[in-house]
Amino acid sequence: MTLLVTGGAGFIGSNFVLDWLADPATRDEPIVNLDLLSYAGNLKNLAALQGDARHIFVQGDIGDRALVDGLLAAHRPRAVVHFAAESHVDRSIHGPGEFMRTNVMGTFTLLEAARAHYAGLSGDDRAAFRFHHVSTDEVYGSLAADAPAFTESHTYEPNSPYSASKAASDHLVRAWHHTYGLPVLTTNCSNNYGPYHFPEKLIPLMIVNALAGKALPIYGDGLQVRDWLYVGDHCSAIRAVLARGRVGETYNVGGWNEKPNREIVHTICALLDQLRPHPEGPYTRLITHVTDRPGHDRRYAIDARKIERELGWRPAETFESGIRKTVQWYLDHADWVADVQSGGYRDWMSKQYGAA
Ligand code: NAD
Ligand code: DAU
């Protein structure tokens, strides 16, 4: 048995691949990892798997139908776990085209390839096959301060080009199940944080900027609320849904950790004050308020009771334990940060894989 993972060199995908191949329950099942290596894809995240035959890395585009067909035919995976996407809201505001190309058309191509592959399966292989689509809570739009958290039946009200592209991909996945019978699963997760998080997103940006003595830019009043989940808990939720989720269903995944951005930044500063005190004083001295993100969603909150009830999944980390581990990880991996910031990881990738 094999899994085809897309986007497995990104933040969540690489955590998923590492966890999968470390866990005694799954470690014997190889992963074919199809990743374009966009700016967000970093094979250094997977350096621990270098030379490991259980990880087959393929640099390529989910929109390349011939490539995807070839991988499905050659490896006959029992499931596709689809992470590949353009993922950063601010980038989608500056340049939405790539989000439509990868998130919408790329998912369409992958679904078509999976449908053709599934049509050729029979018996146990057909019964076991799954297409797991990894999506976001942002498809539901923004919540008022006192509104109940998003359930799976909440209306889709995406507000950014990113969330609109993910909503479109969710709809395609749903339609490929209803129309063609493709055995799909969808998870809609809240904000992740943890190791290998690209420092364009709030938590890693604040950590690396603070350590570099740079400004900590909070958008607008900083009272926007997100629900935060440690990345390892998102990976365990995907594994639970893949193993036991009901075909055609969607599952919301969240950490019951709603926090305003300002509090997140203050927590990071306090942890750094403890772990790496600065002679000039508390890291909060670096906080600046900058122009708000256009169309900025005010609040997301996930009602995760369905996955808890049906699959017995619960997050293992609290926000306090997860954020401490995360800050410590960035302190311990200054080389990873320096590489990402200098673009050095891209040179390393072409040195390592360019000639192949
Ligand atoms: P990321 O930006 O860190 O990684 C995305 C990966 O996809 C990169 O490795 C990139 O090279 C690859 N990729 C991009 N375009 C591709 C293409 N055309 N073909 C093949 N590979 C391509 O993203 P992430 O934060 O790890 O998110 C992974 C998935 O989880 C996304 O679908 C995202 O929408 C979803 N999600 C993310 C979060 C979060 O908080 N980060 C929360 C919920 C859901
Ligand atoms: O909710 C899930 C989503 O979470 C995922 O689908 C996205 O892929 C992921 O990027 C994330 O989206 P957000 O826009 O919520 O994450 P980001 O880290 O960009 O921003 C988190 C909050 O912090 C948001 O309210 C904007 C704010 N922010 C962000 C940055 C980068 C700042 O105030 N300053 C910043 O510099």
Side-chain angles (χ1 to χ4, degrees):
M1 291 202 299
T2 301
L3 283 192
L4 174 60
V5 166
T6 72
F11 162 49
I12 305 172
S14 60
N15 276 281
F16 180 85
V17 170
L18 291 169
D19 286 0
W20 185 270
L21 293 176
D23 189 318
T26 49
R27 59 182 309 156
D28 294 331
E29 183 168 7
I31 286 183
V32 178
N33 181 355
L34 171 62
D35 194 299
L36 184 63
L37 298 182
S38 73
Y39 79 93
N42 184 351
L43 280 177
K44 284 214 158 173
N45 302 359
L46 299 163
L49 297 174
Q50 213 177 335
D52 189 326
R54 299 171 306 156
H55 177 237
I56 300 153
F57 182 75
V58 179
Q59 182 172 6
D61 195 323
I62 54 166
D64 180 343
R65 176 69 193 269
L67 174 64
V68 177
D69 283 347
L71 292 176
L72 290 169
H75 298 282
R76 300 181 61 77
R78 59 133 174 144
V80 176
V81 185
H82 177 33
F83 293 95
E86 288 292 330
S87 69
H88 192 35
V89 174
D90 294 324
R91 285 184 193 253
S92 82
I93 295 167
H94 289 289
E98 202 55 27
F99 288 72
M100 305 305 132
R101 197 188 72 76
T102 286
N103 300 3
V104 185
M105 291 310 291
T107 301
F108 161 70
T109 303
L110 206 56
L111 283 166
E112 280 293 82
R115 177 164 80 94
H117 175 69
Y118 182 64
L121 297 179
S122 57
D124 290 349
D125 291 346
R126 188 174 170 84
F129 188 77
R130 297 286 184 272
F131 184 102
H132 187 131
H133 178 55
V134 180
S135 193
T136 169
D137 60 359
E138 300 204 9
V139 297
Y140 299 125
S142 189
L143 283 172
D146 54 353
F150 301 128
T151 64
E152 288 77 3
S153 55
H154 196 279
T155 10
Y156 270 46
E157 290 173 349
N159 290 319
S160 72
Y162 164 69
S163 55
S165 71
K166 291 297 289 187
S169 69
D170 290 10
H171 291 325
L172 294 177
V173 171
R174 177 188 161 88
W176 260 240
H177 173 64
H178 281 267
T179 303
Y180 303 116
L182 191 69
V184 305
L185 299 158
T186 298
T187 42
N188 293 88
C189 188
S190 58
N191 286 59
N192 286 211
Y193 66 98
Y196 305 116
H197 205 180
F198 197 84
E200 63 185 355
K201 309 276 169 65
L202 180 74
I203 287 182
L205 183 78
M206 295 299 152
I207 301 172
V208 306
N209 275 15
L211 290 172
K214 292 186 184 162
L216 307 180
I218 295 183
Y219 297 162
D221 62 9
L223 294 177
Q224 303 83 4
V225 171
R226 298 290 182 266
D227 168 57
W228 293 95
L229 181 70
Y230 189 69
V231 63
D233 284 323
H234 186 189
C235 294
S236 75
I238 293 170
R239 293 158 62 105
V241 172
L242 189 59
R244 305 187 297 284
R246 286 186 290 136
V247 165
E249 292 290 314
T250 67
Y251 293 89
N252 282 355
V253 182
W256 304 106
N257 275 311
E258 282 186 62
K259 308 251 180 235
N261 295 336
R262 252 167 39 181
E263 186 180 328
I264 297 287
V265 177
H266 279 266
T267 302
I268 291 168
C269 289
L271 281 167
L272 287 172
D273 288 338
Q274 259 179 45
L275 299 167
R276 182 72 56 89
H278 196 281
E280 283 171 34
Y283 285 95
T284 47
R285 75 187 189 284
L286 299 170
I287 291 176
T288 54
H289 284 264
V290 299
T291 311
D292 208 351
R293 171 186 280 174
H296 200 169
D297 284 338
R298 199 67 185 163
R299 174 176 167 239
Y300 306 138
I302 279 278
D303 182 333
R305 280 177 297 178
K306 179 177 174 184
I307 187 172
E308 292 177 0
R309 190 177 59 243
E310 288 191 16
L311 307 179
W313 174 85
R314 294 245 173 344
E317 300 289 345
T318 62
F319 186 70
E320 290 63 35
S321 66
I323 193 70
R324 181 173 283 276
K325 270 165 103 163
T326 303
V327 170
Q328 189 63 56
W329 187 88
Y330 280 86
L331 287 171
D332 294 343
H333 292 81
D335 51 341
W336 183 91
V337 172
D339 244 32
V340 167
Q341 287 180 325
S342 70
Y345 73 103
R346 310 201 83 178
D347 302 341
W348 180 84
M349 288 189 289
S350 54
K351 249 189 241 140
Q352 183 72 9
Y353 297 90

